[in-house]
Amino acid sequence: MLTRPEALQLVLHRLAALGRELGKPELERADEQTRLFGETAQLDSIGLVTLIADLEEDIRRATGRDVVLADEKAMSRLTSPFRRAGLLADHIVATLGAMPPA
Amino acid sequence: MPLALITGTSRGLGRALAERLLAQGWTVHGFSRQPDAWAPPGFVAQAVDVGDPVAVRSAVAAITAGGATIDLLINNAGAAAMNALLLTPPEVAADLIRVNYLGTFHCLQTVGKAMVRARRGRIINVTTVAVPLALEGEAAYVASKAAVEALTRVAARELAPQGLVIAAVGLGPVDTRLTKAVGAAPLARLNQRIGRPAGTTIAEAVDFLLGHALDPHLANGSIHYLGDFPPA
């Protein structure tokens, strides 16, 4: 299980790493309001896919749980959990919380 | 030491591919539906139904848990059936889609994520010459493999920016258990149509498939058919 601050830390850490890889220093200064996807966002669809793939592995390492962040429920929500860093942290906590005990 | 994951390694082409890569120094993980007692050095078998996405995720996680990266995925597991279109039982059509298309989809998606994390990797999907031939009597099978080819092309475009190369290799009748149920006459006609009247041995199929899979210049999204076909 992850607390909300721990989940946000994972997201921001991964965004910073992606920022270094993609040459986007703005991502290294990301906070919970940073837009991940959309017109004014820092990531394109490829970057978002990379972020999610990396984060799923980060979560597995941190918790031992095999999670799928982009499931049907998440993709069909009115407010996308991938819109902002903080929403993604909320989504990670909710996804782990909804899983049956290991 | 490079690491390959091959589906359908309990027999036939999958087993032969594993043997060849092991001989070349690869570590090979194999998925087969039933537990596989085959255990040469460097080979790790897991019983996995590739049509079950949860089972696929769990099995792939077991491979990558220690930090291993998968260099090559060969989606070889497959089912075949010959039926006149109007007499094909719906269960047969559903099973072909489940094993051939969804099995490839689940493995590509799960291993694709691991390869995206590594920013590199190569995926080869096994298809069939029956697709370009639009082979009569194999409508459900051909449709399931045509879906695999479409998946290959789209996946290649989507994942190229992250360093992945994805292609498909289409084989004709290979001397395996999968073709045992087909009569000698239809097999001979098909082999004639693809310019291989003597048929194709497993060793020749392995040569062809791995020749493309390990080609450093393999074109992303390309589909290569064994026999007399123009490049796709």
Side-chain angles (χ1 to χ4, degrees), chain B residues 17 26 39 43 50 61 67 92 102 119 139 166 179 182 187 207 213 218:
Chain B
L17 288 165
W26 287 65
F43 181 74
V50 294
V92 169
L102 288 177
R119 310 292 190 265
I166 301 167
T179 56
V182 184
L187 274 185
D207 286 343
L218 178 67

Side-chain angles (χ1 to χ4, degrees), chain A residues 17-81:
Chain A
L18 259 183
R20 285 189 292 276
E21 183 180 333
L22 301 174
K24 293 191 169 182
E26 300 88 346
L27 287 174
E28 296 183 57
R29 299 187 292 273
D31 60 24
E32 84 167 78
Q33 292 304 319
T34 297
R35 287 183 73 95
L36 302 179
F37 194 62
E39 276 185 20
T40 59
Q42 294 295 324
L43 295 174
D44 58 11
S45 60
I46 294 162
L48 185 65
V49 168
T50 307
L51 172 69
I52 291 170
D54 288 344
L55 268 177
E56 287 178 351
E57 177 65 11
D58 292 341
I59 294 165
R60 194 191 59 73
R61 285 189 181 154
T63 67
R65 305 305 301 270
D66 181 23
V67 297
V68 175
L69 293 176
D71 61 8
E72 191 182 354
K73 213 165 127 190
M75 302 305 275
S76 60
R77 272 168 51 179
L78 208 56
T79 303
S80 169

Side-chain angles (χ1 to χ4, degrees), chain B residues 54-75:
Chain B
V54 175
V56 169
R57 280 203 300 274
S58 171
V60 171
I63 298 171
T64 59
T69 55
I70 300 171
D71 300 286
L72 172 65
L73 164 67
I74 301 179
N75 278 309

Side-chain angles (χ1 to χ4, degrees), chain B residues 73-90:
Chain B
L73 164 67
I74 301 179
N75 278 309
N76 162 72
M82 289 190 74
N83 294 94
L85 170 58
L86 301 186
L87 302 179
T88 301

Side-chain angles (χ1 to χ4, degrees), chain B residues 106-128:
Chain B
H106 298 322
C107 291
L108 188 154
Q109 187 179 54
T110 306
V111 175
K113 279 186 181 177
M115 289 178 169
V116 164
R117 288 194 285 271
R119 310 292 190 265
R120 66 183 175 82
R122 187 166 280 212
I123 298 175
I124 301 295
N125 297 324
V126 175
T127 179
T128 168

Side-chain angles (χ1 to χ4, degrees), chain A residues 81-95:
Chain A
F82 308 111
R83 185 173 293 274
R84 293 182 190 277
L87 289 173
L88 182 51
D90 291 339
H91 178 56
I92 291 169
V93 172
T95 301

